[in-house]
């Protein structure tokens, strides 16, 4: 039985009529950038995330950039984050001329280890970007306590975690701002690129709205240098249709994960750890194996998809060579890069498919 890593066609089949009609409405209106379709989605998304404001932007990467721009982060500043994340988290910091300061992660949850953060705070530190990796929130209480103590902003990178909760509070409204991605492979995927910044701060919301449209306020009067970070109306319309099913899809991802947990318990692999105060939305189901590459090849041979997020830590990437890091600086992250393997977890997977994957992992023996 073939098991793809992800099959977006199955999800589309179930909502095709509604999506096509929402797109047609936008086409008929010819209001194509921002406009009423984006505004409607922003209201729905803010409510979904339990936040006062949601500002639609062009991508998750741009959400991070514009959030840091709103905080006036720039050259000479330092921003603390994890080296075990998608590139955009650190890329946003560096693109603004600031220095990404990396802190190692917890080996069970793969999220930033809050106990290691304070040692990295300096007089130049402006913000912390905890990443809610693979669908599970980083532990926010100790991070918020450090931020209050040292007067730092906290930007949640929630690109992989829309709908995730900690102590029954959804991500995106805990820190100063939350950044989301609607890249198609994320749990709420647009039909192309899209993103969003959330905040409960009225002043920041106003600044974000101005910055996403070149900094103009009022029209053709520029208070600050922003950029074109606008969200397309078609994306807003599609996202409004899809957000109605998001809780249902997250439930299915959790059910799939629970079945993997049960079936993989007695195999050689380590299952992901979800902390007791967390509700994960499982953007990925990521196991660890000390024979990862062999296991992946074995699965591929049986037509079972899998993926490595991430094969190389950010502190050792060529583009950050001038940041002063070396191999060995973050041992947990570096081990994870050798051992992690993400398995198919998308909502439409069948029980048979999950059993097929688990059986293959159980049958695998390293050479
Ligand atoms: C996907 C992702 C981003 C970037 O989002 P894009 O919409 O692809 O620009 C940022 N951070 C994390 C953790 C991501 O997974």
């Amino acid at each position: 039985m073939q098991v793809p890593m992800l099959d977006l066609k199955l999800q589309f089949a179930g909502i095709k009529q509604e999506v096509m009609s929402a797109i047609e409405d936008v086409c008929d209106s010819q209001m194509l950038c921002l406009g009423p379709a984006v505004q409607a989605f922003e209201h729905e998304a803010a409510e979904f995330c339990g936040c006062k404001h949601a500002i639609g932007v062009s991508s998750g990467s741009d959400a991070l950039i514009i959030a840091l721009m709103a905080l006036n982060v720039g050259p000479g500043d330092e921003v603390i984050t994890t080296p075990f994340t998608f590139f955009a988290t650190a890329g946003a910091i560096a693109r603004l001329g600031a220095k990404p300061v990396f802190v190692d992660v917890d080996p069970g949850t793969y999220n930033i280890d809050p106990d290691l953060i304070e040692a990295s705070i300096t007089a130049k530190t402006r913000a912390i970007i905890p990443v809610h990796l693979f669908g599970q929130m980083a532990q926010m209480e100790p991070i918020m306590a450090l931020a209050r103590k040292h007067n730092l902003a906290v930007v949640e990178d929630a690109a992989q975690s829309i709908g995730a909760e900690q102590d029954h509070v959804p991500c995106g409204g805990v820190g100063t701002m939350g950044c989301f991605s609607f890249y198609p492979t994320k749990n709420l995927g647009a039909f192309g690129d899209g993103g969003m910044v959330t905040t409960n701060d009225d002043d920041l919301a106003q600044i974000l709205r101005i910055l996403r449209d070149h900094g103009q306020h009022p029209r053709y009067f520029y208070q600050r240098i922003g950029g074109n970070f606008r969200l397309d109306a078609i994306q807003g319309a599609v996202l409004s249709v899809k957000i109605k099913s998001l809780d249902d899809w997250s439930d299915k991802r959790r059910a799939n994960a629970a079945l993997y947990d049960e079936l993989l318990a007695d195999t050689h692999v380590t299952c992901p750890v979800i902390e007791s105060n967390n509700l994960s939305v499982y953007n990925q189901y990521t196991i660890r194996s000390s024979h990862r590459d062999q296991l992946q090849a074995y699965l591929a041979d049986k037509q079972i998809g899998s993926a490595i997020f991430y094969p190389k830590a950010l502190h050792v990437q060529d583009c950050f060579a001038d940041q002063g890091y070396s191999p060995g600086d973050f041992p947990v992250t570096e081990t994870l890069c050798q051992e992690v393997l993400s398995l198919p977890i998308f909502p439409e997977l069948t029980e048979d498919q999950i059993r097929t994957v688990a059986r293959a992992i159980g049958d695998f023996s390293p050479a």
Side-chain angles (χ1 to χ4, degrees):
M1 180 189 299
Q2 210 170 322
V3 188
M5 182 60 193
L6 178 64
D7 185 352
L8 290 169
K9 290 193 198 109
L10 296 170
Q11 183 189 76
F12 181 51
I15 53 173
K16 183 167 177 175
Q17 299 314 324
E18 212 183 337
V19 166
M20 296 313 280
S21 122
I23 291 176
E24 195 172 352
D25 288 348
V26 172
C27 295
D28 287 338
S29 80
Q30 285 299 298
M31 310 259 280
L32 300 171
C33 298
L34 298 176
V38 168
Q39 268 174 31
F41 171 67
E42 287 177 339
H43 282 119
E44 292 148 13
E47 186 171 311
F48 187 90
C49 296
C51 286
K52 208 162 162 194
H53 305 280
I55 294 98
V57 296
S58 31
S59 70
S61 305
D62 287 342
L64 288 160
I65 295 252
I66 200 173
L68 295 176
M69 285 172 77
L71 296 169
N72 289 306
V73 167
D77 294 336
E78 295 179 353
V79 177
I80 293 175
T81 193
T82 155
F84 192 61
T85 174
F86 179 61
F87 174 76
T89 317
I93 300 166
R95 276 179 64 187
L96 292 173
K99 179 182 165 62
V101 173
F102 296 114
V103 168
D104 213 353
V105 299
D106 177 275
T109 65
Y110 318 135
N111 277 326
I112 194 166
D113 185 341
D115 292 339
L116 303 179
I117 293 176
E118 193 158 30
S120 295
I121 296 175
T122 73
K124 295 177 178 170
T125 309
R126 296 287 317 283
I128 305 171
I129 308 184
V131 178
H132 305 320
L133 201 71
F134 302 152
Q136 171 173 217
M137 288 177 68
Q139 286 300 331
M140 293 302 289
E141 202 178 289
I143 292 173
M144 295 310 293
L146 283 172
R148 279 189 297 272
K149 180 173 166 194
H150 297 275
N151 194 27
L152 308 174
V154 175
V155 177
E156 297 174 66
D157 184 341
Q160 301 181 3
S161 292
I162 189 163
E165 296 179 5
Q166 186 162 88
D167 300 310
H168 308 287
V169 179
C171 62
V174 182
T176 319
M177 284 173 275
C179 296
F180 294 83
S181 166
F182 305 125
Y183 186 73
T185 63
K186 304 297 163 87
N187 286 22
L188 179 62
F191 279 24
D193 281 301
M196 170 175 83
V197 184
T198 51
T199 185
N200 289 309
D201 183 314
D202 296 342
D203 296 334
L204 274 177
Q206 160 97 343
I207 292 169
L208 290 163
R209 285 181 197 285
I210 292 170
L211 285 174
R212 95 173 145 183
D213 205 5
H214 290 293
Q216 65 175 341
H217 185 72
R219 198 161 201 197
Y220 301 126
F221 291 78
Y222 300 89
Q223 303 199 333
R224 299 178 45 159
I225 301 170
N228 176 357
F229 299 117
R230 296 183 298 256
L231 180 64
D232 288 341
I234 282 179
Q235 306 304 347
V238 169
L239 291 165
S240 280
V241 172
K242 291 182 76 171
I243 200 171
K244 292 190 283 180
S245 300
L246 187 53
D247 280 331
D248 179 43
W249 293 332
S250 295
D251 285 341
K252 290 185 170 138
R253 286 173 182 271
R254 278 189 289 268
N256 293 346
L259 186 54
Y260 273 132
D261 284 346
E262 181 192 321
L263 298 172
L264 296 176
D266 298 322
T267 65
H268 85 286
V269 304
T270 307
C271 294
V273 174
I274 306 301
E275 277 165 314
S276 59
N277 64 342
N278 268 336
L279 182 72
S280 176
V281 291
Y282 287 101
N283 179 243
Q284 301 298 339
Y285 184 89
T286 304
I287 58 169
R288 292 178 63 177
S289 163
S290 41
H291 310 282
R292 191 263 317 273
D293 292 341
Q294 260 187 69
L295 175 61
Q296 184 176 38
Y298 180 84
L299 294 176
D301 198 50
K302 295 184 173 308
Q303 310 223 49
I304 295 171
S306 64
I308 299 172
F309 305 119
Y310 297 92
K312 188 170 182 176
L314 295 186
H315 65 286
V316 287
Q317 295 288 345
D318 290 348
C319 67
F320 292 139
D322 58 356
Q323 302 285 346
Y325 292 103
S326 319
D329 284 347
F330 305 110
V332 177
T333 292
E334 289 166 41
T335 303
L336 290 176
C337 290
Q338 305 296 318
E339 296 191 348
V340 287
L341 188 66
S342 296
L343 303 178
I345 190 70
F346 63 92
E348 297 79 11
L349 274 184
T350 64
E351 184 176 332
D352 267 1
Q353 287 178 309
I354 295 170
R355 289 187 182 277
T356 300
V357 177
R359 204 175 307 119
I361 292 172
D363 289 346
F364 166 78
S365 54

